[in-house]
Amino acid sequence: MKLGLTPKQKKDVFILDVEQAILVPSTAKADKKIPDAKFKSRVAEVRKYLSQKFGGYTSIKGVGGYYSEPKRKVIQEKVTKVTGFATTQDFKKNKPALIKQLGAWGKEWGQESIGYEHEGDLYYFPQAKKNKRKAKLKAKLRRK
């Protein structure tokens, strides 16, 4: 539900109307705890990213969990939820880069996917896949 500002109020108020959050995991390969320094580095990287792309962030520490079918158990871990708000214009402009970055973090951090909240909905972005054509081309060039 919108706040319902008058036209005059809308003119005077700076509105960041797109809410989004990235769930930063403290594990790799599902249930392998990473060192605290590495976890803090991940959180700092996400904070910096949201600040540079959208203007700022708020972060909250918590605990998250999910059922892992391959491991046949509930995996629980420390998480930090890093929330950022953006204007619609900034979100649209930066959305392709954001989606690409979510996949890159998944790969870099050893995650099957990265949790991303957008306007109250939760999305899981799979880790970035290697571009097979590009990898084959690089391998071919190395052989020459």
Side-chain angles (χ1 to χ4, degrees):
M1 177 197 259
K2 298 288 182 182
L3 189 55
L5 299 174
T6 66
K8 164 103 173 79
Q9 290 168 325
K10 282 183 181 178
K11 189 180 110 198
D12 296 337
V13 174
F14 186 69
I15 302 171
L16 300 171
D17 56 346
V18 178
E19 181 179 2
Q20 57 191 335
I22 297 167
L23 302 169
V24 182
S26 64
T27 58
K29 298 183 179 169
D31 60 352
K32 307 294 182 230
K33 188 179 180 311
I34 62 171
D36 282 342
K38 196 170 187 177
F39 179 51
K40 287 177 183 175
S41 176
R42 287 180 180 181
V43 172
E45 185 178 351
V46 172
R47 288 173 176 165
K48 182 178 179 181
Y49 185 86
L50 288 179
S51 294
Q52 289 175 331
K53 295 287 185 187
F54 304 107
Y57 70 89
T58 300
S59 57
I60 298 170
K61 294 177 183 180
V63 176
Y66 67 96
Y67 182 77
S68 170
E69 190 64 45
K71 298 206 180 263
R72 296 183 174 266
K73 66 179 184 175
V74 174
I75 295 174
Q76 184 175 306
E77 65 182 320
K78 288 190 319 186
V79 296
T80 295
K81 180 179 178 179
V82 184
T83 303
F85 290 86
T87 63
T88 300
Q89 182 180 351
D90 281 347
F91 177 74
K92 285 179 181 177
K93 179 177 91 179
N94 290 296
K95 183 174 136 181
L98 172 64
I99 290 170
K100 187 175 180 179
Q101 184 61 54
L102 290 165
W105 279 326
K107 186 172 184 173
E108 178 186 338
W109 297 343
Q111 303 293 309
E112 287 180 13
S113 59
I114 295 294
Y116 170 76
E117 289 184 32
H118 180 83
E119 296 294 324
D121 294 324
L122 179 60
Y123 299 83
Y124 283 101
F125 281 87
Q127 68 170 253
K129 302 286 184 212
K130 276 189 176 179
N131 182 328
K132 289 182 182 178
R133 277 193 342 200
K134 198 183 264 186
K136 283 181 183 177
L137 180 62
K138 283 183 181 179
K140 188 176 181 180
L141 290 173
R142 271 186 251 140
R143 281 182 263 156
K144 287 187 176 187

